[in-house]
Amino acid sequence: MKGIQPSVHDKSEPLYPRWSLSAHGSNWCVMVTLDGCATLKKLVYVYLVRYAEEQQDLALLSISTFQRALKDPNQLIRASALRVLSSIRVPIIVPIMMLAIKEAATDLSPYVRKTAAHAIQKLYSLDPDQKEHLIEVIEKLLKDKSTLVAGSVVMAFEEVCPDRIDLIHKNYRKLCNLLVDVEEWGQVVIIHMLTRYARTQFVSPWREDAVFDENSEKAFYDSEEERRVDQSKPYIMDPDHRLLLRNTKPLLQSRNTAVVMAVSQLYWHLAPKHELSIITKSLVRLLRSHREVQYIVLQNIATMSIQRKGMFEPFMKSFYVRSTDATHIKTLKLEILTNLANEASISTILREFQTYVKSQDKAFAAATIQAIGCCATNISEVTDTCLNGLVLLLSNRDETVVAESVVVIKKLLQTQPSQHSDIIKHMAKLFDNITVPMARASILWLMGEYCEHVPKIAPDVLRKMAKTFTDEEDIVKLQIVNLAAKLYLTNSKQTKLLTQYILNLGKYDQNYDIRDRTRFIRQLIVPNEKSGALSKYARRILMAPKPAPVLQSAFKDRDRFQLGTLSHTLNSQASGYLELSDWPAVAPDQSVRNVEVVEPVRLPYLRLVLNCFCVHVESVSESESKENSDDSNKSSSSQSEKSSSESDSEKKKKTLKNKKLQQQKPDSKDRIRSTCLRIMQHNYSLNYYLPPQIIQKTLNIMTKYILIHIVLSISTPFFVNCMCSLLHLCVFLACQFDAVSWPVHVSLQASSPVFVPETSHELLHRMTGKGLSAQYRFTRQPCIYGNSMVSLQLTLSNSTDQALENIHISEKSSTGQNIHRFNAIERLEPQASVTVSMGVDFNDSTQAANFQLCTKEDEFSVSIQPAVGELLLPITMSEADFTKEQGKLVGMNESSVTYMFLNCSFILFKVVARHEAGMPMKHQLTSQSIFLCISRFAGKTVSSGSLVLVSVALKDPDAVITINTEKTVMGSMLLRQVKTALTNSGP
């Protein structure tokens, strides 16, 4: 660093940075003055994010630079500056970070707002006292309609205030509708949050008497009182509950494993039991992924399979063990196969287990023997078969298999020992060949527990054990002592001396557990003067019947944790785990989720302002005219007093003269109207989206007497233009005076679509609709029901022999998108058709609009799936405006693809003629664009009015398709459809 010399900065080359050295203690830091070098700025910010926490004193020197960068025109620079600023872990700059986050939360760029949401978590971990201020920012960001922000702000909500469910009420439906378009990791966070939310706001759909149809028949003979007592209120799923399940179902096809797991756990914890089967295929599909993914998925399936065997029984072969599987994967598959075993499939599973026992993986073979024991315990029909198979395994050469078989046999024999004395004798004969301590201890326990069934073999086994007592393991010694005590109580004549010998050996053993056990047994079974009353009950204590062990899965109790969480994987509560609450007995008020939809009024603000302005001026001029009339009356009265002798003829001449003068001088109201009309005509093309409060404040500013006098006194074209600028200034001041910063968006003039398809899409088939069929078509015209709605035309046909009555759309359909319903059709004659219009606000999303098409007797669920192009309206703009707006929408707002064409001269025809991609856009083609082979299309989204710019640049033999829009998801989808449309079109 010492060799670096400051270079002379040449202002004529702004792309090169100016370097300078500054000393700070013993360290040298390079201070970079970045004049226009945005790329290098980003690299420096990335470096500082990595080392800001380690070199805090050096990072503090650059805070002023970060604050300036927060105002940079480039959204990436603003976001990078906020990211670096929030990475400096110094409490002294907390106020600066808070101000930066609040400003970034209202930034026009969704990427900057997303970064602000991430910064909230960093600030909260640095200073938890800022929680209340951060909650205010989170509440504001939760109202954001951008899909880029949704996942990040919910993540901040989960970190800062996960208990503030009230913040989610108004945004619940919006989050459900945006869920499909949110980025993948944001979907995971939102789904987990909505799972906890739903468990607190909806009643349980798992009731035994749950009815999912509102039309439940009542018993004919039951009285009203009996029905009130015997029948509870039938369950009807909340529409918002159904909205969540319906909108998350498509995500089961996601390529992200975490998203699929999140949806699966949501259905497991929220969906009715009969709907759980839809997640089975998606979970089985994940078993083809990496072993880390398999491990988590299999753990969750193992938990599910305990309660719901029927879900995975058709896919049992998917859980067969492969030779390439890791040991922990094999063990989990064994658990699932054991859980799925029943009377019908046990024979197939046992044949599979016979192959697994021969595996070279000893741990897996031992786990298989445990699985066989579980199957024998759970299914009584195969208990004897499993026992015989396990006895055959006692002759296996592998000690691990033999030892595990002995342990499992011991557990199985406890269920019915009297019927299996031959097995105990066989195990006693193999005792000398078994060396595993646990297996030897199990055999000795069986001998002692059931010594009365083998009275001749048990004393002989004790004799052999007395010889090798000192060489046995501790666990075996304890069982030898127990065997000796039990035989002393049941057959003291043959085993009395052996028992005393073994107790003497145990008295001086090195292990204190064995010494304590020996002393206790001696005082219990050998009565003497020191023995108390306990020795009388020695037989009842040692020979008491023991309950048979219950062999159950290790995943039996894991359902107490939410599926897919770290706590479920570890089977213990991890730090930060939020438990799912129980279902409420009574559903909370669902009106808290209702949101008043305020449609943005699109109107030429100049016309409104000037019309109101003219009314105000008219009232003022009328008051002035009244004052003038009063003055004239006063003057006339005074003159009459002074010159009472004036003749009537002279008065008539004066009045006629005054009338002529008034006819020659234009009225002030007419002058105001003509001036206002010229101003309106000059600026008629400008239309603004203004909230009502801004319009009111603009009127208050406009209705000043100084403006009235300017209009009255001067009406030249120059001052008309000045007045127009002054009106713009009034609107700007009104926006600045308002508490909320309302952006004023210029809306370009819409044009008619170049191509409107005549083809219709099927909405309801006549077989499904019981004779009623429906076709829908996108008209690609501005909707008369709302500026944010897509116009649709429905054709309803009656193919039955009877008339259909009261055809309408159910009111329950308004839970999802905002739908303007057509007026109910009272009667549709047989073989007749009728065409109606409706409007749907898709919220700039390709998510299907679901609603209920009803008749008098039936109700049918239908959905309308829009193409991307149907969510756009064509607009007309100049080439200069197109280039200017395209320059603003760069970076993350730009998507492009290069496509190779064999015949470049043919591509121009394709671009002009192909509209099958669903792009009702106005094609702008100039003479210059023909020479450059550049075609431009301009449109805007119907709901939010965001610009969508498409350009096709031809470079033989390639074509570059570029789409610029703030709606990044819509842009990428449109790009794929345009490429597909151009590819499928032939010459």
Side-chain angles (χ1 to χ4, degrees):
M1 298 301 294
K2 294 182 179 179
I4 298 179
Q5 298 295 331
S7 60
V8 179
H9 176 60
D10 187 3
K11 295 183 179 180
S12 62
E13 298 179 358
L15 294 179
Y16 292 91
R18 182 169 64 249
W19 301 82
S20 62
L21 288 177
S22 64
H24 184 78
S26 59
N27 298 323
W28 287 90
C29 68
V30 180
M31 304 301 294
V32 185
T33 304
L34 302 170
D35 299 330
C37 190
T39 304
L40 187 55
K41 238 183 211 182
K42 300 173 190 174
L43 295 176
V44 172
Y45 285 163
V46 171
Y47 177 84
L48 290 176
V49 167
R50 170 64 180 81
Y51 294 100
E53 189 169 356
E54 300 176 4
Q55 301 289 338
Q56 296 180 358
D57 51 348
L58 299 180
L60 288 173
L61 298 176
S62 306
I63 289 180
S64 59
T65 305
F66 302 146
Q67 289 178 303
R68 289 196 302 270
L70 290 173
K71 305 294 184 181
D72 195 275
N74 192 328
Q75 60 175 349
L76 299 180
I77 298 299
R78 298 198 302 272
S80 299
L82 181 60
R83 187 179 297 110
V84 178
L85 189 62
S86 60
S87 299
I88 303 175
R89 315 294 293 172
V90 180
I92 197 173
I93 66 168
V94 166
I96 299 176
M97 292 173 59
M98 177 59 71
L99 290 176
I101 291 174
K102 287 183 177 180
E103 292 181 1
T106 59
D107 196 277
L108 294 179
S109 171
Y111 181 67
V112 179
R113 300 197 298 272
K114 176 186 179 73
T115 308
H118 288 301
I120 290 174
Q121 306 172 56
K122 298 180 182 179
L123 180 56
Y124 179 72
S125 62
L126 179 63
D127 186 7
D129 295 336
Q130 302 292 328
K131 180 177 180 178
E132 296 301 326
H133 299 287
L134 293 175
I135 289 177
E136 296 177 0
V137 182
I138 291 175
E139 185 177 5
K140 182 184 298 183
L141 288 175
L142 281 172
K143 301 176 182 178
D144 201 302
K145 295 183 179 180
S146 174
T147 56
L148 197 64
V149 183
S152 301
V153 66
V154 171
M155 188 179 299
F157 170 82
E158 292 282 83
E159 182 71 22
V160 178
C161 53
D163 55 334
R164 289 291 303 273
I165 298 295
D166 57 297
L167 301 180
I168 307 298
H169 290 322
K170 297 295 184 182
N171 305 287
Y172 171 80
R173 294 171 183 169
K174 183 197 70 176
L175 290 175
C176 291
N177 292 325
L178 293 181
L179 193 57
V180 178
D181 298 325
V182 176
E183 48 93 16
E184 294 172 343
W185 295 111
Q187 290 174 346
V188 176
V189 179
I190 295 175
I191 290 173
H192 280 282
M193 185 274 295
L194 292 178
T195 303
R196 291 192 301 104
Y197 177 86
R199 287 293 289 261
T200 61
Q201 300 299 314
F202 309 128
V203 295
S204 174
W206 304 337
R207 288 167 41 184
E208 296 296 334
D209 59 344
V211 179
F212 293 90
D213 188 4
E214 294 183 4
N215 301 322
S216 58
E217 298 181 358
K218 297 182 179 180
F220 181 78
Y221 293 102
D222 293 344
S223 63
E224 289 294 332
E225 296 181 356
E226 291 177 352
R227 281 198 293 268
R228 291 175 185 173
V229 176
D230 297 336
Q231 295 183 357
S232 59
K233 186 178 180 180
Y235 171 79
I236 300 175
M237 180 173 285
D238 190 288
D240 289 328
H241 192 174
R242 175 58 62 189
L243 174 68
L244 176 59
L245 296 176
R246 183 173 62 246
N247 288 5
T248 52
K249 182 179 178 181
L251 297 181
L252 289 171
Q253 307 299 325
S254 174
R255 62 181 181 180
N256 190 302
T257 306
V259 176
V260 179
M261 274 306 312
V263 178
S264 300
Q265 65 85 24
L266 181 140
Y267 264 79
W268 178 259
H269 294 294
L270 300 181
K273 298 300 183 183
H274 65 275
E275 297 184 16
L276 289 179
S277 57
I278 66 174
I279 68 175
T280 307
K281 289 185 179 180
S282 299
L283 290 175
V284 173
R285 173 173 58 88
L286 298 182
L287 298 180
R288 305 169 188 168
S289 186
H290 305 289
R291 61 177 59 181
E292 295 82 8
V293 175
Q294 293 182 39
Y295 180 71
I296 301 299
V297 174
L298 287 172
Q299 278 194 328
N300 289 273
I301 292 178
T303 304
M304 296 179 185
S305 61
I306 294 175
Q307 300 182 14
R308 291 283 169 181
K309 293 184 179 181
M311 289 176 56
F312 300 97
E313 283 181 354
F315 305 93
M316 186 178 297
K317 292 184 179 180
S318 301
F319 304 106
Y320 286 172
V321 175
R322 300 179 181 179
S323 59
T324 56
D325 290 337
T327 303
H328 59 281
I329 301 296
K330 295 177 181 178
T331 306
L332 287 172
K333 288 186 176 181
L334 277 178
E335 289 280 352
I336 296 173
L337 289 175
T338 305
N339 296 336
L340 297 180
N342 53 29
E343 292 81 359
S345 60
I346 186 61
S347 58
T348 305
I349 292 177
L350 286 179
R351 284 197 300 269
E352 191 75 13
F353 284 172
Q354 289 176 4
T355 307
Y356 299 162
V357 171
K358 303 175 184 179
S359 175
Q360 298 297 323
D361 189 346
K362 306 304 178 185
F364 172 56
T368 303
I369 296 173
Q370 290 283 354
I372 294 174
C374 290
C375 292
T377 304
N378 298 332
I379 305 174
S380 59
E381 288 82 357
V382 296
T383 303
D384 295 337
T385 305
C386 293
L387 264 176
N388 295 332
L390 292 173
V391 170
L392 293 176
L393 291 177
L394 295 177
S395 303
N396 197 294
R397 296 179 180 179
D398 189 357
E399 295 180 356
T400 306
V401 174
V402 175
E404 201 66 35
S405 301
V406 170
V407 175
V408 174
I409 289 173
K410 169 209 163 187
K411 296 178 180 178
L412 293 178
L413 288 180
Q414 289 183 252
T415 58
Q416 33 185 305
S418 60
Q419 302 177 10
H420 301 288
S421 58
D422 295 337
I423 296 177
I424 298 175
K425 294 176 183 179
H426 182 69
M427 295 173 67
K429 293 177 182 179
L430 299 175
F431 184 79
D432 294 337
N433 299 326
I434 297 174
T435 58
V436 179
M438 179 58 71
R440 293 172 67 86
S442 298
I443 294 175
L444 292 174
W445 186 90
L446 283 173
M447 292 294 174
E449 187 68 19
Y450 308 112
C451 58
E452 296 177 352
H453 299 284
V454 285
K456 297 180 180 179
I457 297 177
D460 192 55
V461 173
L462 181 64
R463 179 182 59 81
K464 293 180 180 180
M465 290 294 98
K467 293 180 181 180
T468 61
F469 183 85
T470 56
D471 299 329
E472 298 290 345
E473 296 290 336
D474 294 340
I475 188 174
V476 181
K477 290 179 181 180
L478 291 173
Q479 294 303 326
I480 293 173
V481 174
N482 290 339
L483 176 61
K486 293 177 181 179
L487 288 175
Y488 182 86
L489 295 175
T490 58
N491 191 2
S492 60
K493 292 181 180 181
Q494 295 182 353
T495 59
K496 182 176 181 180
L497 296 177
L498 280 173
T499 302
Q500 292 179 357
Y501 176 72
I502 292 173
L503 293 177
N504 289 333
L505 291 176
K507 182 179 180 181
Y508 301 102
D509 196 87
Q510 294 181 355
N511 190 295
Y512 59 85
D513 287 333
I514 299 174
R515 296 197 300 269
D516 292 344
R517 178 73 62 85
T518 303
R519 293 189 182 97
F520 170 74
I521 293 295
R522 183 187 296 274
Q523 295 296 323
L524 184 63
I525 66 174
V526 182
N528 52 31
E529 296 178 357
K530 296 181 180 180
S531 300
L534 190 62
S535 60
K536 299 179 182 179
Y537 305 100
R539 186 179 183 87
R540 297 177 60 180
I541 292 174
L542 293 177
M543 304 302 294
K546 280 76 174 180
V550 179
L551 299 178
Q552 62 183 12
S553 174
F555 293 86
K556 184 174 181 60
D557 297 329
R558 287 206 187 184
D559 56 349
R560 67 183 187 275
F561 297 112
Q562 184 177 353
L563 296 185
T565 59
L566 179 62
S567 299
H568 177 268
T569 303
L570 301 178
N571 198 20
S572 62
Q573 185 167 340
S575 176
Y577 174 74
L578 299 174
E579 293 186 358
L580 285 178
S581 60
D582 295 331
W583 295 99
V586 179
D589 184 15
Q590 62 178 353
S591 63
V592 296
R593 291 182 292 275
N594 294 335
V595 180
E596 296 181 2
V597 180
V598 179
E599 294 289 342
V601 182
R602 181 179 181 274
L603 45 86
Y605 86 93
L606 285 177
R607 176 184 295 177
L608 176 65
V609 170
L610 289 176
N611 284 340
C612 299
F613 178 73
C614 292
V615 171
H616 183 83
V617 173
E618 287 175 6
S619 61
V620 173
S621 60
E622 288 175 1
S623 61
E624 290 178 353
S625 62
K626 289 181 180 180
E627 292 177 358
N628 293 334
S629 62
D630 294 339
D631 293 339
S632 61
N633 292 333
K634 292 180 181 179
S635 59
S636 61
S637 61
S638 59
Q639 288 177 2
S640 61
E641 291 177 356
K642 292 181 181 179
S643 56
S644 55
S645 61
E646 190 174 359
S647 63
D648 294 336
S649 60
E650 292 179 355
K651 290 181 181 181
K652 291 180 179 180
K653 290 181 181 180
K654 288 183 179 181
T655 54
L656 292 174
K657 185 177 181 181
N658 290 333
K659 289 182 179 180
K660 290 181 180 180
L661 290 174
Q662 288 178 358
Q663 292 176 359
Q664 293 177 0
K665 183 179 179 181
D667 190 7
S668 61
K669 291 188 290 184
D670 296 335
R671 296 171 58 193
I672 293 173
R673 289 181 182 277
S674 61
T675 304
C676 293
L677 286 175
R678 275 183 286 174
I679 295 175
M680 288 168 54
Q681 292 172 359
H682 184 72
N683 290 275
Y684 181 74
S685 61
L686 291 178
N687 298 328
Y688 286 84
Y689 292 98
L690 290 178
Q693 57 266 40
I694 299 300
I695 296 177
Q696 185 62 35
K697 294 194 177 199
T698 306
L699 294 177
N700 295 337
I701 297 174
M702 287 292 300
T703 53
K704 299 297 181 181
Y705 286 102
I706 184 172
L707 298 181
I708 297 174
H709 291 300
I710 291 176
V711 175
L712 290 175
S713 59
I714 305 172
S715 60
T716 61
F718 172 76
F719 282 99
V720 168
N721 297 335
C722 293
M723 277 297 301
C724 174
S725 301
L726 188 58
L727 296 177
H728 283 262
L729 178 60
C730 292
V731 176
F732 172 76
L733 292 176
C735 294
Q736 294 297 320
F737 292 158
D738 193 43
V740 181
S741 179
W742 291 91
V744 181
H745 300 287
V746 178
S747 174
L748 298 170
Q749 184 176 358
S751 61
S752 59
V754 177
F755 173 77
V756 179
E758 296 295 332
T759 58
S760 300
H761 307 277
E762 186 177 66
L763 182 65
L764 180 64
H765 193 266
R766 59 185 179 86
M767 299 297 295
T768 307
K770 299 181 180 180
L772 175 64
S773 63
Q775 304 282 334
Y776 70 91
R777 184 176 68 89
F778 293 95
T779 63
R780 296 186 179 178
Q781 298 293 335
C783 185
I784 60 176
Y785 306 117
N787 294 323
S788 62
M789 289 187 175
V790 176
S791 179
L792 291 165
Q793 190 178 76
L794 265 65
T795 302
L796 304 173
S797 302
N798 182 7
S799 58
T800 63
D801 297 333
Q802 298 178 356
L804 297 177
E805 298 181 354
N806 192 19
I807 303 176
H808 64 283
I809 295 178
S810 175
E811 295 182 357
K812 296 188 297 184
S813 307
S814 60
T815 304
Q817 293 88 346
N818 184 19
I819 299 177
H820 188 279
R821 307 170 187 83
F822 58 84
N823 295 330
I825 301 173
E826 296 181 357
R827 184 180 178 86
L828 183 61
E829 298 297 332
Q831 307 302 324
S833 299
V834 63
T835 301
V836 295
S837 61
M838 61 180 295
V840 180
D841 186 357
F842 289 98
N843 296 319
D844 293 344
S845 172
T846 57
Q847 182 183 358
N850 302 283
F851 55 93
Q852 305 290 328
L853 186 60
C854 308
T855 62
K856 184 178 180 180
E857 300 176 352
D858 299 306
E859 185 175 302
F860 311 102
S861 297
V862 295
S863 62
I864 296 178
Q865 181 74 44
V868 180
E870 304 298 347
L871 305 177
L872 307 175
L873 282 178
I875 59 174
T876 301
M877 59 191 308
S878 63
E879 187 174 356
D881 292 338
F882 185 97
T883 306
K884 180 180 178 181
E885 295 297 333
Q886 191 179 35
K888 298 178 181 179
L889 300 171
V890 294
M892 298 185 64
N893 297 327
E894 182 176 278
S895 304
S896 63
V897 66
T898 303
Y899 185 71
M900 180 177 293
F901 293 92
L902 298 178
N903 187 2
C904 186
S905 61
F906 175 62
I907 179 60
L908 187 60
F909 171 75
K910 287 186 177 181
V911 173
V912 176
R914 286 295 292 179
H915 297 279
E916 284 78 3
M919 288 197 337
M921 294 185 174
K922 183 70 175 178
H923 178 238
Q924 301 297 320
L925 194 63
T926 62
S927 59
Q928 184 180 2
S929 64
I930 294 176
F931 288 106
L932 295 178
C933 293
I934 298 177
S935 299
R936 297 181 176 89
F937 301 84
K940 65 177 181 179
T941 59
V942 177
S943 181
S944 63
S946 301
L947 278 177
V948 180
L949 307 177
V950 181
S951 60
V952 181
L954 306 182
K955 299 177 181 179
D956 196 7
D958 298 334
V960 180
I961 306 172
T962 305
I963 295 181
N964 301 81
T965 178
E966 292 182 357
K967 304 291 182 179
T968 54
V969 177
M970 180 180 291
S972 60
M973 296 175 65
L974 183 61
L975 185 64
R976 289 195 299 268
Q977 292 195 11
V978 171
K979 181 180 176 180
T980 303
L982 294 178
T983 305
N984 296 335
S985 62

